[in-house]
Structure formats: structure tokens, C-alpha cells
Amino acid sequence: MIFNQQIDDFGVVLKGESLARISEIVNNFNHCFIVNNNNLEYKKFGEFLKNKDIVHFVNRSKTAPLKRKYYRELQIKNIQFNKAEIDEEIVKVKLIYESYGLNCHLLPEELLEYNNYFQGKGNYERKYPNTGVLSIIYAAHIIKPKRIWIIGLDFYQSDYLFRRRWNNPLKGQREKMERLDILGQFIELVKLNQDIQFNMITKANLPKVDNLNIL
């Protein structure tokens, strides 16, 4: 397990436009995930994340790694992949992380049960369709903090804070969110974990749930 101690407050930092408000939430947690490529975000907000216990939660893309110096400055030691098994793409990108001296971890097999939500909607038996929501699933199911603090998860109802040339068009990303009902899966996750308070800064419109606090 990448976080060994009992954690009361845990953060998940994503890349949507709501990330611009990170100063309002960042003092509530000392342990967190940052999700996928955050080089541009780090240049703007890196000072807020220094001296925190950070794990980089990534997909298999070769665009996901941070610059080597950012891992060093943030003292990141661990990479968490979004898949439970090694495949050809992970083999390639794992070499990059290991060349930086980082420890790579596969997804716990038990989290694959959450993929059942997408039966009949695509080939998601072994791969969850959204890395950001998967990182929150990991936090709730494996880390089990009392409170999860989420920022930058806007479900593509607004764009990334910084759009990259390799990002899929926003229209297609929104259509995928709707087709797979990723927002609905997130709400089900919140409802299944009544003992966790989910605190969230987002630009998305979410339904009211007792243990979901929109900041």
C-alpha cells in the first residue's frame, strides 16, 4: 500500500478549470494524488503542493510523466498506474518512471469490481474509463480517509485549465462522460461511502448528496 498510515484528510488534484481555486482547499490535506501530466499546472501552482506526501496517479500514456525536476522538487517517490496488469504500453512508460528512480505500482485487483458499472458500454473489464475518478475510487476504497478533498474534476462540463495539443477535443470528451455516465458513477461512489465526507471544488453541476460538500 502506497500510504501506510491512517489518514484523516486526503486530496485528489486534477486538471479542470476549477484547479484555479486550489489555494482555497490545499491546506486541508497533507497527503494527495496528482493525476496525469501536471507540468503546466505545476509551473503555476507548484508552491501550494510542496512539502505534501504526493503520489502521482497516471494512465499508460507517455505524455503523463512530469519533468524529472518536478518529481525531485515535490519529493514524489511513487507512481500509481490505472491498470491492474502489465501490458505493452505500461512496460514502455514504466521505464521512464524507473529511470527517474520512482517506484511503480499496479492497481489493486479488487478495484476492478467498479468496472462492472460500465457493462455493455464498452471494453472496460480491465481498464476504468476515467483516471481521475479512478483515483478517487482508490482513495475511498483503499485509503479510507475520513474526508476526501477534490479539485479539478469538472467532468468536462468546462475545459482543462491548460489544454494540451494531444488532448482529445472537448466535445468528444463530454460525449464520453455522458455515454458512460461517469458523473453517475462518481455519485454512486459517494453514496456507497457514507462514512467519508467528500469535499469538492468543481465547475460541474452535481446533484445534492448528504456526504458531498460542494465548496
Side-chain angles (χ1 to χ4, degrees):
M1 187 169 166
I2 49 180
F3 293 98
N4 294 317
Q5 68 272 51
Q6 175 60 46
I7 296 171
D8 289 340
D9 291 273
F10 189 82
V12 180
V13 180
L14 295 100
K15 301 186 300 179
E17 287 184 10
S18 59
L19 180 62
R21 294 173 57 193
I22 191 171
S23 63
E24 300 174 32
I25 198 174
V26 74
N27 291 331
N28 291 295
F29 56 85
N30 291 317
H31 307 80
C32 68
F33 286 137
I34 59 173
V35 180
N36 283 334
N37 184 302
N38 293 78
N39 285 308
L40 296 176
E41 291 80 4
Y42 178 83
K43 287 178 68 175
K44 189 170 182 66
F45 301 116
E47 289 300 319
F48 292 111
L49 294 172
K50 286 183 177 177
N51 301 314
K52 296 191 182 296
D53 187 358
I54 302 172
V55 169
H56 194 193
F57 201 108
V58 299
N59 60 26
R60 301 171 297 166
S61 172
K62 286 189 285 188
T63 64
L66 301 177
K67 293 181 179 179
R68 183 195 296 260
K69 66 177 182 178
Y70 293 163
Y71 288 113
R72 185 167 56 248
E73 290 173 6
L74 290 173
Q75 300 181 56
I76 295 174
K77 303 289 194 301
N78 292 290
I79 301 296
Q80 176 61 57
F81 281 115
N82 68 339
K83 286 199 69 179
E85 58 194 8
I86 291 283
D87 62 18
E88 184 177 345
E89 296 305 313
I90 285 183
V91 167
K92 293 175 184 176
V93 74
K94 187 169 178 280
L95 292 174
I96 298 174
Y97 296 118
E98 290 178 341
S99 74
Y100 294 170
L102 301 167
N103 303 308
C104 295
H105 306 266
L106 293 175
L107 193 74
E109 284 272 348
E110 64 196 89
L111 296 187
L112 295 178
E113 68 185 61
Y114 287 90
N115 295 10
N116 294 335
Y117 186 87
F118 304 105
Q119 284 188 356
K121 296 183 179 181
N123 186 23
Y124 297 112
E125 181 181 352
R126 306 295 295 179
K127 179 182 179 296
Y128 195 87
N130 183 270
T131 304
V133 173
L134 180 59
S135 71
I136 300 167
I137 289 172
Y138 187 111
H141 189 101
I142 303 295
I143 300 172
K144 296 181 170 63
K146 294 179 180 177
R147 292 166 293 273
I148 297 178
W149 302 84
I150 304 162
I151 189 166
L153 179 61
D154 300 327
F155 298 97
Y156 298 111
Q157 292 183 22
S158 64
D159 205 351
Y160 294 113
L161 185 62
F162 298 106
R163 174 161 281 275
R164 278 79 166 176
R165 56 179 173 77
W166 59 78
N167 291 140
N168 293 323
L170 181 59
K171 181 176 183 291
Q173 291 170 316
R174 284 175 174 167
E175 289 173 351
K176 179 181 178 181
M177 288 281 117
E178 293 171 4
R179 175 172 57 85
L180 297 178
D181 191 23
I182 300 292
L183 193 154
Q185 161 70 318
F186 171 75
I187 295 301
E188 285 300 309
L189 174 71
V190 173
K191 290 178 178 179
L192 282 171
N193 291 275
Q194 291 292 321
D195 55 337
I196 298 175
Q197 177 68 43
F198 292 80
N199 303 283
M200 190 172 185
I201 292 179
T202 182
K203 284 184 169 288
N205 293 315
L206 274 66
K208 182 174 175 56
V209 184
D210 288 344
N211 59 322
L212 175 60
N213 180 29
I214 305 300
L215 303 169

